[in-house]
Amino acid sequence: MRVLLVEDEQPLARAVQRGLEAEGLLTDIEHDGRAGVNAGLTRMYDAIVLDIMLPGLNGYDVCKQLRAANVWTPVLMLSAKDGDYDQVDAFDLGADDYLVKPFSFPVLVARLRSLIRRGGIERPPVLVAGDLHLDPATRAVGRGTEVLDLTPREYGLLHYLMRNKGMVVSKLDILQNVWDSHHEGAENVVEVYVGYLRRKVDVPFGRHAIQTVRGAGYRVAGDGG
């Protein structure tokens, strides 16, 4: 398996490369955004680890250009910023995962292996589950012709569930991807927001798109419930 690491902090890049190769992941390094785009377009990788703050082109633009060229290699973005909107922007542009610096190396490896197992999945411009639709570019959400008004956190939760449509995601996955990796609150905050979301996207329409999988987590039904 081969990984592309696009990181301009050279000591960090070399340390991560050594660690990944010790785990059996051959790792190429690029230190600026333009070189990262070229590598992603011309070589085959199982995953890309992409820093956001890069010279030449930032990580957001690198990811955007790769997706525009129909390169669906799984992308894990690295950033020193852990704000909700920073993560939402990354996912909107086609990233598959997001990790905040400083990060745990075992967590990085675990997330990369998870992305590699999943493989490169084409992400359509509008996410759809039956008549439930979400447009990451405009952040518009609706049921059929009905426009739904969601709070930023509700939107982030629905976006994450719909990006993983049909798949079960745990409370911990949701906390790390919709809140942030350093969230120290109770996990029941996920249940609270799932309840808020159901009251907007399911209950008024007599639908059951957001499903609880006992002991495992939540998923969005592929047919929109």
Side-chain angles (χ1 to χ4, degrees):
M1 291 182 287
R2 185 174 292 275
V3 172
L4 171 63
L5 171 63
V6 189
E7 168 61 66
D8 65 322
E9 296 180 40
Q10 297 192 24
L12 174 61
R14 289 193 295 271
V16 171
Q17 181 186 43
R18 286 195 297 270
L20 292 179
E21 295 196 338
E23 295 289 333
L25 299 171
L26 298 177
T27 305
D28 295 341
I29 297 176
E30 299 291 352
H31 296 297
D32 70 82
R34 297 187 190 283
V37 170
N38 183 64
L41 291 175
T42 58
R43 305 177 212 152
M44 295 294 294
Y45 292 102
D46 295 286
I48 297 172
V49 180
L50 179 60
D51 190 25
I52 290 179
M53 302 302 292
L54 293 167
L57 289 174
N58 65 41
Y60 294 128
D61 288 333
V62 172
C63 189
K64 184 177 180 180
Q65 289 193 22
L66 292 176
R67 297 309 188 225
N70 293 319
V71 174
W72 302 108
T73 307
V75 171
L76 186 155
M77 297 194 85
L78 299 177
S79 177
K81 300 188 291 183
D82 63 355
D84 295 339
Y85 290 107
D86 299 308
Q87 298 187 44
V88 168
D89 287 343
F91 291 132
D92 283 350
L93 292 170
D96 299 271
D97 204 350
Y98 188 105
L99 198 55
V100 178
K101 295 178 179 180
F103 53 84
S104 160
F105 184 75
V107 170
L108 172 65
V109 172
R111 294 213 183 167
L112 276 176
R113 291 197 186 282
S114 176
L115 290 178
I116 290 169
R117 285 195 300 270
R118 188 187 312 170
I121 303 171
E122 183 173 354
R123 263 79 62 190
V126 177
L127 305 178
V128 176
D131 65 346
L132 179 62
H133 48 89
L134 181 151
D135 185 343
T138 63
R139 297 186 178 166
V141 180
R143 271 272 191 201
T145 59
E146 186 80 15
V147 176
L148 304 180
D149 183 20
L150 304 184
T151 67
R153 186 75 74 186
E154 291 165 352
Y155 170 86
L157 175 57
L158 183 61
H159 187 191
Y160 183 67
L161 290 171
M162 289 187 71
R163 282 195 305 108
N164 294 280
K165 180 177 67 176
M167 299 172 58
V168 178
V169 292
S170 69
K171 290 181 183 178
L172 182 58
D173 289 334
I174 292 170
L175 285 172
Q176 291 180 333
N177 287 279
V178 180
W179 275 256
D180 62 65
S181 59
H182 303 296
H183 178 77
E184 296 178 352
E187 285 190 1
N188 67 3
V189 70
V190 175
E191 297 173 27
V192 171
Y193 273 87
V194 166
Y196 292 158
L197 201 52
R198 282 176 171 149
R199 287 196 284 273
K200 291 185 177 181
V201 306
D202 279 346
V203 174
F205 305 94
R207 309 295 285 278
H208 301 282
I210 302 172
Q211 302 175 342
T212 300
V213 180
R214 190 176 298 277
Y218 302 94
R219 68 181 168 209
V220 163
D223 63 0

